[in-house]
Each structure stands twice: as structure tokens, then as C-alpha cells.
Amino acid sequence: MSNCGCNKRIRSNAISNGTFNQECVDVCVSPQCGDPAFLTVLTPVVYDELGINICRTFPLTAGVVADFPTAVYASAEVIDITYTVNPVAGEGVTIAPIAGRANCYEIDLSDLSVTFAIRLYDCCNRLLTTFTETGIIYLPPATTDEGYDPDTNPTTVSMEIFAPYGVVYTDGAIATPALNFIGFSTTNSQLEQGLNMMAIPKVLDFDIVAGTITIGLTLIVKSVYFTQYQIPHNGKAIVTKGNIYSDEDSLCMEFVHGSLLDRNIKPLESCNPLDNKEDCIDVDPTPCQCLDTFLENSEN
């Protein structure tokens, strides 16, 4: 057995194979030219998903309806849903693997506290106000709680989800598996690997006299994992550009009139700003003088 303690160096595919599998090209010193035929993407893939509909009626914040007596219509948006994941006590949200079925998990949803952004409109569909309603409990933990209904808003809903690569654990603690909510706050708008839940609301009734609103929720739970794929390169997407310009003729004005910037496939080629060739065999419209100037100065 060798006693050599030297480090072994391995190279990536791009370095080993060069540009477009041309082994004679060293991509570390020769920037890639043109676009590859295929791109590798790492993308979140939905392996399984399941949705339910629940519904309840609740009173609006005192004074809101009185302040806007001409309100006729309403719309709602779910900003956030808070819940406690507690597999020991069996309250709130519980997540556990199904015995004898290693690739699937049972998810019990209960005691979901929803925060809504609600908008009120008059008969001409003009927006009157936007306000929040917080702490609206869906799937209440007890049958005596406000809003409970055995058919439309029960205490618990159990789901079975195919999650072959497991779940994410809060801070790495296996006692607290995580269910990520995707909402409309800066703190919850991100998709994460593992189990994710999203909510879609619909206003079913708005009673201006009683000061109540009925909102149905579609809750969707997804098992999501990041997976690598290779896709054909059909060209870069072009972003629509708006112009802010006058009749002034200058380099800055030419830039403002021009296309939006995009990251170039040749990030280290900084000599010739007019070199926009897309093929390696194209000749530079204005030959680069940087290297020649450097060599002349070195000889002198």
C-alpha cells in the first residue's frame, strides 16, 4: 500500500473536456465562445401533491364596515399561515412516516392561524381600503371552537403524501420535521426542499349588514426535491425594455437606447467591447490591441 501523502486533484467535466468537448481547449484560460447545445439546470420538482378545500365565516374587524358603508365587494389574499409542528402532543401539525410504508408520510393539519389581506370595493369596483385580518383559525383544535363545522371546517384533516427522499428537519432536529408555508410575506415567500404548503383563498360571501365574510381556502401540500436535468438550449430569453431617451447623441445615450445587459458566456474577455461574435470562427470586427500593446511595452 502506498504511503504517499500527496493531495490528489480531480477536474470538472468542463476543464477535462474543454469547450464543447474539445480537449485541446483549456477553458481556464480560453473563455467559452458561443452557446452550448444543452444546459444543466437544478430545479425543484414536485414528486407528489394533495389538496383540500375548507371554509368558514368570521366577523370583520370592528369599525371597518362602518368606515366604508359603500362597500359591496371584497377580495382576499393569504399573507401567512402559522402553526406548530408537534408530533409528540398530537396538536397542531404532525408529520410522521407511515409504518411499513417507508416512502410515504402522514400529515395531520389542525389549528391553522391565517392572516388575510382583505380589500373592499364599491359598486363600481373602486378600491376603498385594504386591511389585514389576523388569527383566523381554520381546522380548529376543538369542536367547541368558533368556526368549527364537521363538514366544511373540521378539527383535523389527515393526508398521505409520497415523499421518497424524506422531509426537512427544523434546525436538523429529527423530532421536529418541517412543513414550509409559501405565502406573500418577505419571510415566507420561498419554496424549500421537502414538504411545502400553499393556500388559495376565495371570498364566497360578504355581508355588509352583519359585518361578516366567508372565505374558502384551498390548501395544497407538495413534496418537492431539487433535481438536476439537462435541457436543450434554444436561445436566451429577451427581456422587454422600456426607453428613457432624448435626441442627445452620446455614448451614454447610445447605451440607454441599446439592449439590456446580460451576463456574457465569456466573462473574462475584457479587451474588445465591440467583440460581439457568437461563433468561434468569426473574425473580430475591431481586432483586439491589448496583447500587442503589452508585448511592445515589455520589449521596450
Side-chain angles (χ1 to χ4, degrees):
M1 182 173 64
S2 173
N3 293 324
C4 177
C6 58
N7 293 329
K8 294 184 177 180
R9 178 175 296 179
I10 57 177
R11 300 185 300 174
S12 71
N13 290 334
I15 295 177
S16 299
N17 299 327
T19 304
F20 304 114
N21 296 322
Q22 299 178 19
E23 296 185 5
C24 62
V25 177
D26 186 355
V27 297
C28 297
V29 296
S30 300
Q32 295 182 14
C33 182
D35 293 327
F38 292 91
L39 294 175
T40 299
V41 295
L42 183 65
T43 182
V45 177
V46 177
Y47 276 67
D48 196 14
E49 58 185 343
L50 181 63
I52 60 168
N53 286 337
I54 53 179
C55 180
R56 66 159 294 184
T57 299
F58 58 90
L60 296 173
T61 300
V64 172
V65 175
D67 292 339
F68 301 94
T70 60
V72 177
Y73 306 116
S75 65
E77 181 180 7
V78 177
I79 298 177
D80 192 18
I81 297 181
T82 58
Y83 41 84
T84 301
V85 179
N86 187 353
V88 177
E91 298 176 355
V93 173
T94 64
I95 303 170
I98 301 176
R101 303 169 67 195
N103 294 326
C104 294
Y105 286 76
E106 181 176 340
I107 305 169
D108 294 336
L109 301 180
S110 181
D111 198 11
L112 307 181
S113 181
V114 183
T115 298
F116 289 103
I118 297 180
R119 299 177 179 86
L120 300 183
Y121 306 84
D122 64 12
C123 60
C124 298
N125 289 321
R126 292 175 296 196
L127 179 64
L128 301 176
T129 186
T130 303
F131 60 97
T132 58
E133 291 286 355
T134 61
I136 308 302
I137 303 299
Y138 282 75
L139 302 177
T143 58
T144 56
D145 290 341
E146 180 184 11
Y148 166 77
D149 185 284
D151 298 318
T152 61
N153 197 31
T155 57
T156 305
V157 172
S158 296
M159 299 179 170
E160 292 186 4
I161 293 289
F162 175 61
Y165 300 113
V167 299
V168 171
Y169 299 101
T170 304
D171 297 328
I174 61 175
T176 53
L179 173 63
N180 175 58
F181 175 70
I182 308 171
F184 285 88
S185 169
T186 55
T187 59
N188 63 19
S189 61
Q190 299 295 318
L191 174 68
E192 296 182 1
Q193 182 163 250
L195 297 177
N196 292 263
M197 181 172 68
M198 58 186 298
I200 305 172
K202 181 178 182 180
V203 175
L204 303 177
D205 184 59
F206 172 51
D207 192 330
I208 186 69
V209 177
T212 60
I213 190 170
T214 301
I215 298 180
L217 279 185
T218 291
L219 296 178
I220 302 175
V221 176
K222 303 172 180 284
S223 62
V224 177
Y225 303 99
F226 289 96
T227 306
Q228 187 166 279
Y229 288 93
Q230 193 174 63
I231 61 174
H233 189 322
N234 293 321
K236 294 182 179 180
I238 300 176
V239 180
T240 302
K241 176 184 176 293
N243 291 321
I244 51 171
Y245 58 87
S246 64
D247 294 331
E248 178 186 356
D249 185 14
S250 65
L251 288 176
C252 281
M253 189 56 59
E254 182 180 350
F255 173 80
V256 171
H257 283 192
S259 301
L260 300 176
L261 294 179
D262 194 4
R263 294 191 182 278
N264 200 304
I265 198 65
K266 301 174 290 183
L268 299 181
E269 188 169 331
S270 57
C271 175
N272 186 359
L274 297 179
D275 178 13
N276 294 317
K277 66 177 183 292
E278 297 181 357
D279 194 297
C280 296
I281 63 175
D282 289 347
V283 179
D284 289 350
T286 303
C288 182
Q289 303 297 325
C290 296
L291 182 59
D292 294 342
T293 303
F294 174 78
L295 294 176
E296 291 177 2
N297 293 336
S298 299
E299 294 174 354
N300 296 331

